[in-house]
Amino acid sequence: MIEGFVALYIFMLAAFTGYEVISKVPVILHTPLMSGSNFIHGIVLVGTMVALGQSETGLQQLVGFVAVILAAGNAVGGYVVTERMLEMFKSSKGAK
Amino acid sequence: MSFIVNLAYFAAAILFIIGLKQMASPVTARRGIIWAGWGMVIATVVTFLHPQVIGFVNYLLIIAGIGIGGGLAWYTGKRVPMTDMPQMIALYNGMGGGAAAGIGIVALMGSYSMSWTIQFIAVAGVIIGSVAFSGSLIAFGKLQGLIKKSLRFDMQQKINLGVLGATVLLGIIIAFSGAEVNGTLLFLFVLLALAFGVLMTIPIGGADMPVVISLYNALTGLAVGLKGLVLDNAALMIAGIVVGAAGTLLTQLMAKAMNRPLTNVLFSSFGETPSGDQEEVSGSMKEIEASDAGVMMAFANKVIIVPGYGMAVAQAQHKIWELTQLLQERDVQVKFAIHPVAGRMPGHMNVLLAEAGVPYDVIYDLDEINNEFKTADVAVVIGANDVVNPVARSNPESPIYGMPILNADEAKNVIVIKRGKGAGFSGVENHLFYADNTRMLYGDGQKVAGQLISSIKEMG
């Protein structure tokens, strides 16, 4: 069980990590990076799986099912779009 | 079992952070998304072993849900043209927000009791996730052209505040109602939160959408992080909060680039000032033929190209790169100047130019290139408007006053490629178009670029 101050510590360290990682990014990568971070919060998929997995009533299952669909869309869509964008940076480097 | 699951989540968190870090540099960016992708795969696969996942039907539903959602997203993500990327990001982001809200709703509907702090956090996550969901959908609709107008009405902000207040109030009641949450109340609460996201986004104009999408991205991250706490899931906590913090910083960077505090973007509307109090524009717009413009560029020493959203709409980036290569063969120095908020997302132009094959060492940021316009013979503005409007420097009355702009007007000659005579997204008249050294080249960006190419080719 992650509780109280341990959770706070995790939050604080994760927040600093996110802030540090982004702070040195060139403008050229802002869109792919926003897209990439959009993909990373697609981890919510794991959460929706657990939520659906422990649901008991039909209504819970319905909400959980919709949540899984949405989360899978976030993760997969985020990946595909980011990958396509970054693919182009490879080709632009080769052209140099 | 629980040990394997936790170990996998731990590995996923590391992969996400390393992936994000690698995405911050053009050289390693591609590797970054692949690392992060593996993190996601590991975390997802192992979750099937999670002790909290029970029941055959639930397993089936999970697999079906992943199949439907993932399949649709894969299909749309692969097919969408590059120019429509911003709204796709908004859409996928909204889905994530909706999913986070869904987790909270399922948890609140559950019969097991949570400590009041956790219940409170679940409620907060539902509000944030719902707002990110409906707000992102509106942003998607606006960028996709499904919603054309920015809806504004009297007392708008008071009504918005009222809706938010009611949402929070219901949320507090729910947070303190223990294990037995009233279903009707919960439904009403979610509905209000969704309504607030819509109300908050509809008055915001298209020019501000990049900032808004980035903000919702950060909000979704935060909502996911909070859900991690509710579900006692460290992977969600870490990934969510990392994105929340990174997204917040990115949002600030963007708002700063527009020289408008975030509160301004959200609570005052662009273009609200009537055109009446703008100073009269002196001079007239002077047209130029594509062939003349071609000659002008071909015999220049230095050309700076300023692309904007119009280039994206016209899909002109490939022709522009062809034009650039032709000019380079004639020993013309060509540079691209990218305004931080050109297009509908930060770096939107960079992505499009990269798609066309423009190497990133001829592409410059505002700070890097702004002093060079003085030495340029020709500045070519293609589909950009507000980001080169000198009014931002000169007229304190103007709604865009104070926004840093590209000083295209300082070049010896300015060629503006533009589809029609209208004002930009902000609705502000652009004084650059009336300047003595400016020539207007009307037409579709791609077509005009084609004409420029053939006129230069004819010169041999």
Side-chain angles (χ1 to χ4, degrees):
Chain A
M1 202 55 187
I2 310 159
E3 262 197 2
F5 276 101
V6 181
L8 270 180
Y9 279 120
I10 293 179
F11 268 40
M12 176 198 70
L13 292 173
F16 275 113
T17 308
Y19 206 83
E20 275 304 304
V21 164
I22 294 279
S23 61
K24 292 154 205 135
V25 171
V27 175
I28 176 168
L29 280 170
H30 273 180
T31 298
L33 201 77
M34 187 199 286
S35 179
S37 58
N38 176 37
F39 162 68
I40 287 174
H41 67 53
I43 187 69
V44 70
L45 175 59
V46 165
T48 58
M49 288 167 73
V50 174
L52 175 56
Q54 63 185 0
S55 51
E56 298 144 351
T57 64
L59 196 59
Q60 275 184 311
Q61 280 177 325
L62 180 70
V63 177
F65 182 58
V66 173
V68 170
I69 293 178
L70 291 175
N74 182 187
V76 174
Y79 182 84
V80 171
V81 165
T82 311
E83 216 268 338
R84 271 182 65 189
M85 265 189 256
L86 293 175
E87 178 87 21
M88 295 173 323
F89 284 100
K90 196 179 96 189
S91 67
S92 77
K93 217 179 129 226
K96 252 202 302 192
Chain B
M1 221 52 118
S2 172
F3 177 75
I4 299 173
V5 173
N6 282 324
L7 192 68
Y9 287 170
F10 184 63
I14 293 174
L15 285 170
F16 285 154
I17 292 170
I18 295 176
L20 204 59
K21 176 84 198 154
Q22 286 182 330
M23 273 187 258
S25 152
V27 188
T28 53
R30 256 195 106 239
R31 218 184 312 148
I33 184 67
I34 292 169
W35 280 53
W38 278 113
M40 191 70 73
V41 170
I42 293 170
T44 310
V45 169
V46 161
T47 303
F48 281 102
L49 304 174
H50 200 286
Q52 278 180 310
V53 181
I54 37 168
F56 179 66
V57 181
N58 286 349
Y59 271 109
L60 277 186
L61 283 175
I62 289 173
I63 293 167
I66 293 176
I68 295 171
L72 281 175
W74 181 274
Y75 181 74
T76 51
K78 282 281 181 199
R79 283 176 51 103
V80 65
M82 269 303 151
T83 41
D84 292 346
M85 277 308 168
Q87 52 262 50
M88 290 320 281
I89 297 176
L91 182 65
Y92 297 141
N93 174 54
M95 293 171 88
I103 295 174
I105 298 167
V106 172
L108 289 170
M109 285 195 292
S111 53
Y112 45 88
S113 57
M114 298 181 270
S115 73
W116 74 266
T117 33
I118 294 294
Q119 191 138 339
F120 198 79
I121 288 164
V123 165
V126 171
I127 297 181
I128 297 169
S130 304
V131 169
F133 175 66
S134 57
S136 295
L137 287 189
I138 297 292
F140 168 78
K142 283 202 167 194
L143 290 175
Q144 189 71 19
L146 300 173
I147 305 168
K148 294 232 165 55
K149 286 193 73 176
S150 297
L151 190 66
R152 301 191 186 104
F153 45 84
D154 289 343
M155 310 267 293
Q156 190 160 22
Q157 282 177 32
K158 285 191 183 110
I159 292 171
N160 287 4
L161 207 65
V163 173
L164 179 65
T167 313
V168 171
L169 194 70
L170 272 184
I172 291 173
I173 296 172
I174 289 169
F176 284 106
S177 51
E180 291 304 317
V181 176
N182 184 316
T184 324
L185 217 57
L186 185 62
F187 179 73
L188 207 64
F189 162 66
V190 174
L191 212 62
L192 274 174
L194 289 173
F196 179 70
V198 173
L199 286 171
M200 186 173 140
T201 320
I202 40 170
I204 300 172
D208 284 335
M209 272 308 145
V211 185
V212 175
I213 295 173
S214 175
L215 177 71
Y216 287 143
N217 188 40
L219 283 183
T220 305
L222 183 60
V224 171
L226 293 178
K227 290 306 148 195
L229 205 55
V230 173
L231 293 173
D232 196 18
N233 186 320
L236 254 67
M237 285 171 68
I238 293 172
I241 295 302
V242 165
V243 171
T248 307
L249 179 58
L250 202 58
T251 312
Q252 281 172 350
L253 288 177
M254 272 187 259
K256 209 165 124 196
M258 298 171 83
N259 200 22
R260 304 177 63 215
L262 194 57
T263 46
N264 238 356
V265 173
L266 294 175
F267 302 119
S268 78
S269 345
F270 226 127
E272 208 172 21
T273 22
S275 47
D277 62 354
Q278 281 178 34
E279 57 182 290
E280 279 296 304
V281 192
S282 57
S284 59
M285 296 200 211
K286 294 160 282 287
E287 266 190 68
I288 190 172
E289 292 295 319
S291 51
D292 295 334
V295 173
M296 202 191 261
M297 289 160 79
F299 290 100
N301 288 317
K302 187 171 176 181
V303 173
I304 298 177
I305 299 175
V306 182
Y309 187 60
M311 183 188 80
V313 173
Q315 300 269 15
Q317 61 270 29
H318 298 278
K319 289 282 181 198
I320 291 292
W321 173 228
E322 206 183 323
L323 178 68
T324 305
Q325 285 170 309
L326 264 176
L327 291 171
Q328 282 172 340
E329 279 165 27
R330 301 181 65 101
D331 288 328
V332 181
Q333 194 189 1
V334 184
K335 289 183 174 180
F336 287 86
I338 312 275
H339 191 274
V341 294
R344 290 292 173 274
M345 285 211 136
H348 189 189
M349 293 300 123
N350 305 78
V351 171
L352 292 178
L353 293 174
E355 184 201 13
V358 181
Y360 51 76
D361 50 5
V362 299
I363 301 174
Y364 296 87
D365 287 349
L366 179 114
D367 295 338
E368 295 169 336
I369 202 156
N370 235 356
N371 285 326
E372 289 199 33
F373 280 104
K374 277 180 242 140
T375 60
D377 300 295
V378 184
V380 181
V381 177
I382 171 161
N385 193 338
D386 294 330
V387 297
V388 290
N389 193 344
V391 164
R393 281 196 315 249
S394 60
N395 182 7
E397 299 288 307
S398 171
I400 62 169
Y401 179 73
M403 180 171 94
I405 57 156
L406 288 163
N407 299 327
D409 54 325
E410 289 179 356
K412 280 194 203 84
N413 297 287
V414 183
I415 297 172
V416 178
I417 301 173
K418 202 169 176 304
R419 210 188 331 211
K421 297 190 181 185
F425 237 114
S426 64
V428 183
E429 274 291 351
N430 194 334
H431 289 224
L432 175 69
F433 299 168
Y434 296 90
D436 289 332
N437 57 342
T438 302
R439 294 292 175 273
M440 305 298 290
L441 185 48
Y442 292 112
D444 172 77
Q446 194 175 347
K447 223 184 266 170
V448 168
Q451 289 165 352
L452 288 171
I453 290 168
S454 47
S455 78
I456 293 174
K457 272 186 181 155
E458 276 165 28
M459 281 180 257

